[in-house]
Amino acid sequence: MPTPSSVERVLFVHFFRAQNGREPVREWIRELGVDDRKTIGEDIKTVELGWPIGMPLVRKMERDLWEIRIDLHGRRIARVLFTVLGCQLVLLHGFIKKSQGTPLPDLSLARARMKQV
């Protein structure tokens, strides 16, 4: 069985960076509690090491846009929307899900950011 240090990454994580230099997904993750940050980080790493990966962890939303489906403590759900450019996994938007479907403003924001990368 390979050790974590011997596993080669398929993708390399990059945070979307706005023109003003801010990285909104990184900032959102930093605002969360330690347990939530750890869970989100582990799921992102699973995608990074195992791409391509499908349900239940990753769901394709539309062309070039996917979501990482993250179960947090306390029956909460987070989503991280991303795109893949070459060998880069670009994290576009993250949010705590509060409704059944993906809210249109969150999807629209991810689409707009995707056009900027």
Side-chain angles (χ1 to χ4, degrees), residues 59 61 67 69 77-79 95-104 106:
R59 180 170 74 111
M61 303 296 291
E67 70 175 0
R69 304 159 51 88
I77 299 170
R79 296 291 187 257
F95 60 98
I96 302 295
K97 195 166 179 188
K98 297 178 181 170
S99 62
Q100 179 114 9
T102 302
L104 189 55
D106 292 301

Side-chain angles (χ1 to χ4, degrees), residues 6-95:
S6 69
V7 175
E8 287 193 38
R9 293 179 184 190
V10 177
L11 298 175
F12 294 87
V13 172
H14 292 271
F15 290 89
F16 166 81
R17 180 172 288 175
Q19 289 181 346
N20 64 6
R22 292 185 61 213
E23 295 175 323
V25 177
R26 185 187 306 266
E27 293 170 10
W28 171 73
I29 291 171
R30 284 184 175 159
E31 292 173 359
L32 299 171
V34 173
D35 289 341
D36 291 345
R37 288 194 310 261
K38 183 178 178 185
T39 301
I40 291 170
E42 288 171 353
D43 285 351
I44 291 170
K45 185 174 184 176
T46 299
V47 176
E48 183 181 26
L49 297 175
W51 185 256
I53 192 168
M55 292 287 280
L57 182 59
V58 174
R59 180 170 74 111
K60 186 168 187 165
M61 303 296 291
E62 55 192 48
R63 184 173 184 223
D64 299 327
L65 185 64
W66 292 267
E67 70 175 0
I68 302 173
R69 304 159 51 88
I70 305 161
D71 293 323
L72 300 174
H73 300 288
R75 298 181 53 134
R76 293 173 304 125
I77 299 170
R79 296 291 187 257
V80 176
L81 303 178
F82 70 95
T83 192
V84 174
L85 297 172
C87 63
Q88 296 181 10
L89 184 150
V90 183
L91 305 178
L92 301 168
H93 181 55
F95 60 98

